[in-house]
Amino acid sequence: MTNCVAGLRASSAAVWFICLASVVVPQVGYGAEARDFADFEKHIRPVLVKHCYACHSEKSEKVKGGLLLDTRAGMLRGGDSGPAVVPGKPQESLLLEALRYEGFEMPPQGRLPDDVVKHFEIWIAGGAADPRDGGAQESKSTIDIEAGRKFWSFQPIRDARPPQPQSAGWVQNDIDRFILVGLEQKGLTPVRDAAPEQLIRRATFDLIGLPPTPEEVREFLNDVAKQSESGEAFEKLVARLLASPRFGERWGRHWLDVARYAESTGGGHNVLFPLAFHYRDWVVDSLNADKPYDQFIREQIAGDLLPADDAARRNHQLAATGFLAVGMKDLRENDTHRFRMAMADEQIDAVGRAFLGLTLACAKCHDHKFDPIPTADYYALAGIFTSSEPMLGARRNRQRNAFAAGVLSKADSSAAIGDAEFAELLKARVEVTYKRLAVRDEQWRILNLKGLKVKEMEKHAEMLGTDPKVRKLRDELKVLEERLAELTERYDAALRQSMMGMRDSNIEDCAIHIRGEDSQLGPTVPRGFPQVLVSGNARPLPSDQSGRLQLAQWIADPAHPLTARVMVNRIWQHLFGAGLVETPDDFGFTGQPPSNPVLLDYLATRFVAHRWSIKKLIAEIMQSRTYQLGAEHDAQAYEIDPANRLLWRANRRRLDSDALFDGVRQTSGDLVYDRPRPTIPLTTNDDRVKSMDLQAWFMPTTRHRTIYQPVLRDHVPDDWKLFDFPDPELVTGARGITTVPTQALHLMNSAFIATQSLKTAERLVAGGGEPRGIIEEAYLRILNRRPQAVEVDDALVFLNKFESGGAKRENAVAALCQSLFASAEFLYLY
């Protein structure tokens, strides 16, 4: 075991970084190219088609500047001024310079929104992934649906039987049989089992996102020593962790990554979603209750359309539909049709990636470039979502429709606000705004007539107040403001008894938007599902329903080839660090094939057979010997399988941002476990995030688990981002994994770590005992194991030197704790 206090002898911070970096291990890839192609199709190509192709494509009457942007080659070659895009170098890319209006100014009609330009910057910095190899011309669909159905993930799930490995004595359950056969075929053998201390740390972080306490470590080691048969103590441990309320918080955070959960809209205005917390809490409670995954799906897509026995059940199901409402919204958009289509696009992308592992939104402007999804299938789904309304509760926006700022009243609400009243509120807001402008303009007019300065209006307030027209306008404004205040007060009261979620609206099919353009409509497509996944003749959707309920039922069907596979893969990934399919959000042609397809189907079959129980599947996987392997290196195995796709050992996994910060707080005794009371602010004149006191907004939940702290788009805390917290604009099934010097520096020097180290030290010293006992307790509390003799000796030398310099014992122990927090052994699971 690495000596984690050896660095205590060094005074240089550089030595600390070397100590940390020296044990960094290669990380498993996650199909970045496929993800980047999908981002290109969603964020880059539509902008190029809409704003650039008219002048810079093969179909242009005259190609301006010699620049073609409808092929990758043309973009890299550039025009008269040089390459338009230099992959990985935004600062050298003329296209980005033009979009920023720095020198060149494109498009000439007006600068694009900042968030659009930011997407281009991120795309170029990430390598400018671009699947195009020809022109941008549109052509008739040539997708062969029948041929597409032969792809592995579109095939029915097979009834896989466990194979018989040669070394059957190694096996603990049937999962091991699949793994061991794969290893034997390559001439490999698994490494030794993990030590009990490593196993309890791994399992506890995996299931509840927190480290085990010293008492829990001692209890487990005692159970292992006394167990009558192998695995008995670990089975007891797993059962206890699965029953903990902390389980739903840990695995709820995994799902919220997929659900692109945030508490603000993002986009230009970036306004609060004051009711988003209902969806977050629904996710946590559902996972703690082990809600069957098929029901988990149905409630998120169509909870408002499901029957409910009582008000509590109705409210629970309404909260679930927040899944379709919490995505990014551009509330600057004042065109209702464009706003609705943008929301539908975001919902199609979320449903496709989250539940099916498909990039369905890539078929918006053209047939999917890789998967057998024609554009018609995209608009068949779009009709389902445009026949529904997400009630956002986002108060500042340019929409005059209930679905932008409206809310869903709870079933037992005593302060509901109906559509008619809400329409009056929206109208009053506009009327007050225009009346205020009328008062201002009239006052300016009078001042200009008298040769007075407009900026000195306050100085002439008494004179202006005597003008008959100004008095009349002010009186009218007062009446409007009083009515607006009354309606706003009723809205704020209703907000506290409301939900953010979905409801059905006007039912109608959607027309194909040629090249994704709102102004170029093609034939209308009946609402329905992707053809490649529909067997036989599909029944038309009811004319009086949106189709969301039918969509939810279709996805949750046990016979669906993707649903169980995708979720099983997500569970496997969170327990092993990489899924059987490395691209958890893309099971299509650009995704990675499964490393063990037979095992994937076996687990999918078991998942459905056990009534879609997430907890049962987790327990079964963790009871395998494969999960309980150690993480030691084997040169021969590494030579044959360097990415460990065959699982000859456990993957060394870095703690994610949530586990890291929650774990440090628990260790110091600073973590608050209770779910915080929600804060629903009153309506203000400006509820944009940029106008808020963010420090005050974050403060009430600072000591709570990170899942209960605010997630605001464009304002994710820097220390979270440092450890790869995902962008809440995107569906993220697998977080990125970076290893950079600033992470080591944060663990060594940040105020957070220093403060928590001191609190941990105070806790240790308060327990009494001699330095040896304090050192042992520090190791148990932070690294979840007993120290080796040499580590105790090194730590004693360090404490003695520290205290001999006049430092208090608490400060000396705090320095020791900080060194342990900064160690690779704390940051990684072995």
Side-chain angles (χ1 to χ4, degrees):
M1 188 79 66
T2 303
N3 185 339
C4 294
V5 295
L8 290 169
R9 299 170 178 167
S11 59
S12 169
V15 174
W16 280 110
F17 172 66
I18 293 170
C19 178
L20 179 74
S22 65
V23 295
V24 170
V25 296
Q27 300 297 326
V28 180
Y30 292 106
E33 184 181 63
R35 185 168 60 246
D36 292 343
F37 281 173
D39 289 343
F40 173 86
E41 297 293 353
K42 182 173 178 62
H43 297 298
I44 306 303
R45 189 196 290 263
V47 177
L48 296 174
V49 171
K50 183 175 182 178
H51 296 286
C52 306
Y53 280 9
C55 301
H56 300 287
S57 73
E58 291 180 354
K59 296 177 69 175
S60 304
E61 291 185 11
K62 180 181 179 181
V63 177
K64 295 187 178 180
L67 175 62
L68 288 172
L69 297 177
D70 56 348
T71 66
R72 174 174 172 79
M75 189 173 282
L76 296 177
R77 183 175 61 249
D80 299 342
S81 301
V85 167
V86 181
K89 299 180 178 181
Q91 68 278 10
E92 298 179 19
S93 299
L94 295 178
L95 176 62
L96 187 61
E97 179 182 311
L99 294 176
R100 289 171 170 167
Y101 272 41
E102 298 172 351
F104 296 104
E105 294 184 357
M106 294 292 167
Q109 297 86 356
R111 191 180 188 279
L112 296 175
D114 290 343
D115 55 323
V116 173
V117 177
K118 186 67 175 178
H119 280 306
F120 273 84
E121 180 182 348
I122 294 171
W123 171 65
I124 295 171
D130 185 346
R132 299 173 302 166
D133 56 7
Q137 64 272 13
E138 296 296 322
S139 61
K140 186 177 180 180
S141 176
T142 58
I143 288 178
D144 187 335
I145 298 296
E146 285 304 318
R149 288 183 175 135
K150 297 177 182 178
F151 188 67
W152 75 266
S153 66
F154 303 148
Q155 290 283 302
I157 296 172
R158 295 168 295 176
D159 184 14
R161 297 183 180 276
Q164 295 302 317
Q166 297 174 10
S167 304
W170 180 84
V171 168
Q172 285 187 183
N173 68 13
D174 286 338
I175 292 172
D176 295 326
R177 299 181 187 279
F178 291 95
I179 296 298
L180 190 55
V181 164
L183 291 172
E184 289 175 344
Q185 289 172 351
K186 295 291 185 179
L188 301 177
T189 56
V191 301
R192 293 177 297 180
D193 295 344
E197 295 93 338
Q198 293 173 329
L199 196 56
I200 184 175
R201 187 172 198 265
R202 182 192 304 172
T204 308
F205 267 112
D206 278 349
L207 291 186
I208 66 172
L210 297 169
T213 65
E215 295 74 23
E216 290 168 344
V217 173
R218 294 187 184 99
E219 180 184 354
F220 179 66
L221 295 179
N222 188 48
D223 287 345
V224 170
K226 296 191 305 182
Q227 65 185 1
S228 58
E229 58 182 73
S230 178
E232 186 178 59
F234 188 64
E235 183 176 355
K236 174 185 172 183
L237 170 67
V238 170
R240 175 177 64 79
L241 294 171
L242 288 172
S244 168
R246 309 283 83 82
F247 169 81
E249 293 165 349
R250 175 57 174 169
W251 284 72
R253 182 62 260 176
H254 292 327
W255 184 256
L256 293 180
D257 285 1
V258 173
R260 76 269 182 254
Y261 173 80
E263 294 164 35
S264 72
T265 63
H269 281 332
N270 199 12
V271 175
L272 280 180
F273 279 148
L275 302 176
F277 70 89
H278 286 300
Y279 174 68
R280 176 202 66 198
D281 294 349
W282 175 87
V283 170
V284 173
D285 293 341
S286 295
L287 290 170
N288 273 333
D290 199 20
K291 185 190 297 285
Y293 182 63
D294 59 342
Q295 185 68 9
F296 188 75
I297 294 170
R298 285 190 290 267
E299 290 183 7
Q300 290 182 86
I301 297 176
D304 58 310
L305 304 176
L306 296 173
D309 296 333
D310 52 37
R313 183 68 188 166
R314 171 71 173 164
N315 294 338
H316 182 75
Q317 292 172 177
L318 281 179
T321 63
F323 171 82
L324 293 173
V326 295
M328 192 190 80
K329 309 287 186 296
D330 186 357
L331 296 181
R332 298 167 302 179
E333 180 59 69
N334 56 14
D335 183 286
T336 299
H337 177 74
R338 195 175 297 132
F339 186 66
R340 290 290 294 273
M341 292 305 298
M343 286 196 295
D345 179 65
E346 199 274 337
Q347 290 164 336
I348 291 169
D349 187 56
V351 168
R353 292 175 186 262
F355 300 117
L356 304 177
L358 291 178
T359 55
L360 299 174
C362 292
K364 174 184 177 181
C365 303
H366 47 74
D367 290 348
H368 201 293
K369 293 297 182 182
F370 307 104
D371 297 336
I373 310 292
T375 302
D377 284 2
Y378 173 91
Y379 287 97
L381 288 167
I384 293 174
F385 292 109
T386 56
S387 296
S388 307
E389 291 181 341
M391 309 294 279
L392 306 178
R395 288 169 282 200
R396 180 190 177 97
N397 63 84
R398 294 180 179 175
Q399 290 297 313
R400 303 291 175 257
N401 303 281
F403 54 71
V407 291
L408 299 171
S409 297
K410 292 183 180 180
D412 50 356
S413 173
S414 60
I417 184 167
D419 281 4
E421 217 173 4
F422 190 76
E424 186 182 357
L425 171 61
L426 294 175
K427 181 181 177 183
R429 285 181 185 174
V430 176
E431 289 177 341
V432 165
T433 298
Y434 282 114
K435 189 62 69 174
R436 285 171 178 165
L437 292 173
V439 172
R440 183 203 66 183
D441 291 347
E442 180 59 22
Q443 293 179 146
W444 284 5
R445 186 188 68 81
I446 294 171
L447 292 174
N448 286 329
L449 282 175
K450 294 180 178 292
L452 301 173
K453 295 180 180 179
V454 169
K455 64 181 181 181
E456 296 180 351
M457 185 184 295
E458 289 296 324
K459 180 179 177 181
H460 306 292
E462 185 176 348
M463 178 271 291
L464 291 169
T466 62
D467 182 84
K469 190 169 183 179
V470 171
R471 283 211 314 266
K472 181 175 182 296
L473 288 171
R474 286 179 176 177
D475 289 343
E476 292 170 351
L477 175 60
K478 182 180 179 182
V479 172
L480 290 173
E481 286 180 333
E482 288 175 350
R483 179 56 179 161
L484 177 59
E486 178 187 343
L487 290 167
T488 300
E489 184 177 352
R490 296 184 65 176
Y491 174 75
D492 285 342
L495 206 61
R496 285 157 175 72
Q497 300 185 49
S498 301
M499 297 281 187
M500 174 187 188
M502 298 294 293
R503 71 178 185 186
D504 271 7
S505 59
N506 297 326
I507 313 301
E508 57 183 2
D509 295 329
C510 187
I512 291 176
H513 291 46
I514 298 171
R515 294 187 297 278
E517 292 282 356
D518 300 312
S519 59
Q520 300 185 43
L521 302 183
T524 298
V525 181
R527 287 164 295 125
F529 316 137
Q531 300 168 58
V532 73
L533 296 169
V534 176
S535 57
N537 296 320
R539 291 187 299 175
L541 297 178
S543 59
D544 60 343
Q545 298 178 37
S546 65
R548 274 189 299 117
L549 178 59
Q550 291 76 17
L551 175 64
Q553 292 169 334
W554 173 73
I555 292 175
D557 190 319
H560 200 293
L562 285 166
T563 309
R565 281 173 172 151
V566 168
M567 189 56 183
V568 160
N569 189 65
R570 295 193 190 283
I571 293 170
W572 186 274
Q573 172 195 297
H574 294 310
L575 295 174
F576 287 92
L580 295 168
V581 176
E582 286 188 285
T583 49
D585 306 324
D586 188 359
F587 274 48
F589 281 72
T590 58
Q592 295 296 309
S595 59
N596 198 322
V598 185
L599 174 57
L600 181 64
D601 279 5
Y602 170 80
L603 292 172
T605 302
R606 297 277 291 175
F607 187 36
V608 175
H610 287 155
R611 299 184 179 182
W612 303 85
S613 169
I614 292 173
K615 288 188 176 183
K616 284 184 179 179
L617 181 61
I618 289 173
E620 183 172 354
I621 293 173
M622 293 181 71
Q623 290 300 329
S624 69
R625 194 165 184 183
T626 305
Y627 176 82
Q628 298 172 37
L629 285 174
E632 66 186 70
H633 183 71
D634 182 286
Q636 178 188 357
Y638 183 80
E639 182 72 22
I640 296 172
D641 180 26
N644 193 33
R645 298 297 292 143
L646 299 175
L647 293 174
W648 46 271
R649 64 168 172 84
N651 288 313
R652 294 170 182 167
R653 292 177 279 141
R654 199 201 72 202
L655 297 179
D656 60 30
S657 59
D658 306 270
L660 172 61
F661 293 111
D662 290 349
V664 170
R665 281 196 186 277
Q666 174 178 282
T667 301
S668 72
D670 194 44
L671 185 66
V672 176
Y673 295 99
D674 296 337
R675 182 180 292 174
R677 293 175 60 85
T679 300
I680 304 177
L682 297 174
T683 300
T684 62
N685 290 331
D686 188 355
D687 62 351
R688 290 175 295 179
V689 172
K690 71 177 185 179
S691 302
M692 296 170 56
D693 182 347
L694 292 180
Q695 186 175 3
W697 186 252
F698 279 90
M699 185 59 67
T701 57
T702 298
R703 295 176 56 215
H704 290 265
R705 294 202 69 172
T706 51
I707 191 173
Y708 294 126
Q709 296 177 28
V711 179
L712 304 177
R713 291 188 169 100
D714 301 327
H715 293 277
V716 173
D718 289 338
D719 51 354
W720 293 12
K721 290 190 290 186
L722 177 60
F723 290 93
D724 305 309
F725 189 86
D727 183 347
E729 290 186 12
L730 306 173
V731 173
T732 305
R735 293 189 181 187
I737 303 174
T738 62
T739 302
V740 294
T742 46
Q743 293 168 348
L745 293 172
H746 181 88
L747 293 173
M748 289 187 292
N749 302 320
S750 71
F752 171 78
I753 292 294
T755 299
Q756 299 304 316
S757 296
L758 181 57
K759 289 184 177 182
T760 304
E762 291 170 346
R763 194 178 185 189
L764 292 168
V765 173
E770 294 301 309
R772 283 184 178 274
I774 290 175
I775 292 167
E776 178 168 331
E777 191 71 10
Y779 269 76
L780 271 173
R781 193 168 291 281
I782 298 174
L783 302 184
N784 313 124
R785 65 171 176 86
R786 294 187 178 94
Q788 298 175 8
V790 65
E791 291 173 320
V792 173
D793 292 341
D794 284 343
L796 283 171
V797 170
F798 172 77
L799 291 179
N800 289 333
K801 285 186 177 180
F802 211 102
E803 291 183 32
S804 66
K808 293 181 180 180
R809 170 152 297 182
E810 287 87 349
N811 292 332
V813 175
L816 172 63
C817 291
Q818 190 164 353
S819 74
L820 295 179
F821 281 133
S823 69
E825 190 175 350
F826 175 75
L827 191 58
Y828 282 82
L829 296 179
Y830 291 88

